[in-house]
């Protein structure tokens, strides 16, 4: 696709996407992650060989892109998240229901007339308070913080059948603005869970459900080492041979814009990483 585009259109910019590592990670990481205790070492070794092959194929794909463009062209490779193995669901709404903060109707759907706060179907890691400024909301806007405090206490107190904590943190979205989390259409708080768990909005009689088989997932706080991702760049305006410290996803676009001599997009919230730029 890149070779055809370069020959046929001589474009100013080309965007390409490959789903291979994401698909492989979702399928195999539950068997690969060394922190998943149920994993058989022989099975892990087998899938690691398969996983390595996926990245070898992606590396060859990147090589063809580099061969297709002039040396001064800025080429950048970035993935949007890491991947972590899990074996259990943390059934967030079951915990909130037990605390009297949420209710389901006879069909098993959220009853918004009786629900103060929930993990909505569109945000597994999010908590949304059902405030009166929302359609059908029942919680006075002034009581939002109180409801979040009650939800936080219930979630942090929840234990699985082994007596282990399920939820490890509940963070107000205001604390996470620099990460691009929250906003008018976002959740009011973000949930982090114990290793091996993935938050679920499903209805359940238990706080924790065992998955049918291990899974690979993402969406956790980006501070987790397994959520870290890659960013490579080369070309005009990009420093050579520099290894950067950890940076945020939101910093990549402003940094690339600076390398190309453009102002950052007006909606960008990240910073320009000066170490990535070629010295004038």
């Amino acid at each position: 696709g890149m070779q055809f585009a370069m020959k046929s259109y001589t474009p100013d910019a080309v965007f390409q996407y490959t789903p291979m590592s994401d698909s492989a990670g979702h399928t195999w990481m539950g068997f690969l992650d060394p922190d998943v205790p149920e994993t058989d070492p022989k099975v892990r070794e087998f899938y690691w060989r398969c996983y390595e092959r996926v990245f070898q194929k992606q590396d060859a794909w990147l090589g063809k892109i580099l061969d297709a463009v002039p040396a001064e062209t800025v080429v950048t490779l970035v993935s949007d998240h890491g991947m972590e193995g899990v074996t259990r669901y943390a059934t967030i709404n079951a915990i909130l229901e037990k605390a009297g903060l949420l209710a389901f109707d006879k069909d098993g759907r959220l009853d918004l007339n009786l629900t103060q706060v929930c993990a909505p179907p569109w945000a597994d890691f999010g908590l949304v308070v059902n405030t009166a400024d929302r359609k059908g909301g029942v919680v006075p806007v002034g009581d939002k913080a109180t409801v979040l405090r009650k939800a936080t206490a219930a979630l942090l107190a929840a234990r699985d059948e082994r007596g282990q904590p399920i939820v490890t943190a509940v963070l107000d979205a205001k604390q996470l603005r620099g990460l691009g989390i929250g906003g008018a259409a976002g959740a009011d708080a973000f949930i982090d869970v114990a290793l091996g768990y993935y938050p679920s909005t499903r209805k359940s009689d238990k706080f924790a459900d065992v998955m049918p088989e291990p899974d690979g997932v993402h969406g956790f706080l980006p501070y987790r080492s397994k959520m870290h991702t890659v960013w490579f760049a080369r070309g005009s305006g990009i420093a050579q041979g520099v290894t950067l410290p950890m940076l945020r996803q939101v910093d990549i676009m402003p940094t690339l814009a600076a390398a190309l001599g453009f102002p950052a997009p007006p909606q960008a919230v990240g910073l320009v990483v000066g170490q990535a730029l070629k010295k004038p």
Side-chain angles (χ1 to χ4, degrees):
M2 172 63 78
Q3 291 168 332
F4 177 83
M6 295 304 296
K7 291 177 181 177
S8 304
Y9 304 114
T10 59
D12 293 321
V14 178
F15 295 87
Q16 282 201 305
Y17 168 71
T18 169
M20 288 199 297
S21 56
D22 181 71
S23 298
H26 281 298
T27 305
W28 296 335
M29 190 54 71
F31 301 97
L32 291 173
D33 193 331
D35 291 327
V36 176
E38 296 88 347
T39 301
D40 183 324
K42 291 183 178 179
V43 173
R44 186 186 305 145
E45 181 182 355
F46 169 78
Y47 281 122
W48 265 121
R49 292 198 298 270
C50 299
Y51 204 41
E52 287 175 349
R53 183 66 179 136
V54 169
F55 283 92
Q56 289 166 358
K57 286 181 175 292
Q58 288 193 300
D59 197 49
W61 166 74
L62 176 60
K64 289 187 179 297
I65 292 176
L66 294 173
D67 290 342
V69 300
E72 68 275 10
T73 301
V74 173
V75 178
T76 182
L77 170 71
V78 61
S79 57
D80 55 345
H81 55 71
M83 197 72 72
E84 188 168 313
V86 293
T87 58
R88 289 167 167 254
Y89 290 116
T91 50
I92 303 302
N93 285 337
I95 299 171
L96 298 175
E97 182 184 27
K98 182 72 173 179
L101 297 170
L102 177 153
F104 293 97
D105 63 20
K106 59 183 177 58
D107 296 319
R109 296 175 299 189
L110 286 172
D111 186 340
L112 294 181
N113 292 318
L114 300 174
T115 292
Q116 299 178 52
V117 59
C118 68
W122 45 264
D124 289 351
F125 287 86
L127 281 184
V128 172
V129 179
N130 190 25
T131 47
D133 55 349
R134 292 177 174 272
K135 184 178 180 179
V138 296
V139 176
V141 174
D143 293 343
K144 183 176 182 177
T146 301
V147 171
L148 274 179
R149 282 196 296 271
K150 291 179 181 179
T152 298
L155 291 167
L156 294 179
R159 297 293 184 269
D160 60 21
E161 77 283 359
R162 303 166 297 183
Q164 300 297 314
I166 299 170
V167 177
T168 56
V170 181
L171 302 173
D172 192 301
K174 296 186 185 69
Q175 299 172 266
L176 304 171
R177 280 178 178 158
L179 302 178
I181 293 172
D188 297 313
F190 187 94
I191 301 163
D192 207 12
V193 290
L195 284 173
Y197 274 99
Y198 185 83
S200 172
T201 63
R202 67 201 308 193
K203 189 179 187 306
S204 176
D205 296 327
K206 297 182 291 185
F207 292 172
D209 285 333
V210 176
M211 294 178 172
E213 63 180 25
D215 199 4
V217 298
H218 49 86
F220 303 102
L221 280 173
Y223 299 120
R224 287 199 189 199
S225 60
K226 291 174 188 173
M227 292 298 99
H228 292 183
T229 182
V230 299
W231 180 46
F232 296 101
R234 66 129 234 213
S236 178
I238 300 291
Q240 293 185 5
V242 174
T243 300
L244 297 173
M246 187 178 75
L247 77 164
R248 304 172 303 167
Q249 293 284 69
V250 292
D251 297 329
I252 292 175
M253 184 55 73
T255 302
L256 282 176
L260 293 166
F262 293 107
Q267 71 272 27
V269 297
L271 304 173
V272 174
V273 180
Q275 291 170 272
L277 304 179
K278 187 178 292 183
K279 298 296 186 289

